[in-house]
Amino acid sequence: MNQAARAAEPFGETPAHARTQGIDHGLLEKARGAPGILYGEVAKTWPGFIARPGQQQMMHAALLTFLSAKAPDDESRQGSNLAQLEAGTGTGKTVAYCLAAIVASELLEKTVVVSTATVALQEQLFHKDLPRLAKIIPELRFDMLKGRGRYLCESRLQGAIHD
């Protein structure tokens, strides 16, 4: 199906994880295959890693979300900014969204910020997952930023905006 036909599809007919509305066709072409190649390297080199179709679907959905995300000052893009991706413990969500974020970051020439709900996940990303990915992607750079309170909630954000 060509890009014009996809754009004309009503949302109800295309699963949310496969929608490409608002994404430049050239960007989609550049993105094609890149996450799969990296995923294959992870599957080959990480001890005990088990490739799962759901994980690959999540990676694809995250990539499309990142590629369609629109900055507040970007009037040229039409995309949305949200995706809800859920999976059980041990599914490999961090691998899925990190690989998608890395590919999108490179294609869009943007920095990615990952915010976690728990300190344990922060530590896992920084000390385990990202260093492993850096062995596969040597140009990957990452750091951890912690605030005194370690988190940002809606109340603190509103307070910071108004103060």
Side-chain angles (χ1 to χ4, degrees):
M1 183 183 306
N2 67 30
Q3 183 71 14
R6 268 193 217 119
E9 285 181 350
F11 274 23
E13 295 178 24
T14 305
H17 68 272
R19 293 187 190 141
T20 59
Q21 285 83 3
I23 304 174
D24 177 72
H25 182 68
L27 201 55
L28 283 172
E29 287 302 313
K30 288 180 185 176
R32 188 178 314 277
I37 292 168
L38 293 176
Y39 187 81
E41 286 298 312
V42 168
K44 208 169 35 175
T45 60
W46 284 23
F49 184 85
I50 299 169
R52 299 173 183 91
Q55 190 178 46
Q56 292 176 5
Q57 184 180 17
M58 180 179 278
M59 181 178 61
H60 180 74
L63 178 60
L64 290 179
T65 300
F66 292 136
L67 293 179
S68 69
K70 178 179 159 182
D73 61 345
D74 188 352
E75 295 180 21
S76 66
R77 297 180 69 191
Q78 306 171 33
S80 62
N81 298 297
L82 299 173
Q84 181 175 340
L85 307 172
E86 295 182 83
T89 302
T91 303
K93 294 178 291 292
T94 57
V95 170
Y97 69 72
C98 283
L99 288 177
I102 290 165
V103 170
S105 174
E106 184 176 312
L107 292 172
L108 297 171
E109 298 177 359
K110 301 280 184 184
T111 300
V112 173
V113 175
V114 176
S115 175
T116 64
T118 66
V119 172
L121 182 53
Q122 241 179 43
E123 299 292 326
Q124 175 191 323
L125 281 166
F126 189 74
H127 295 293
K128 182 179 174 190
D129 296 333
L130 293 173
R132 283 182 171 177
L133 287 173
K135 289 180 181 176
I136 296 166
I137 310 161
E139 60 276 4
L140 178 64
R141 301 288 176 256
F142 58 92
D143 209 339
M144 186 179 334
L145 177 65
K146 292 182 183 180
R148 191 173 61 187
R150 289 190 176 238
Y151 68 94
L152 177 67
C153 65
E154 189 173 343
S155 174
R156 286 184 179 194
L157 178 61
Q158 289 300 323
I161 290 171
H162 296 300
D163 292 336

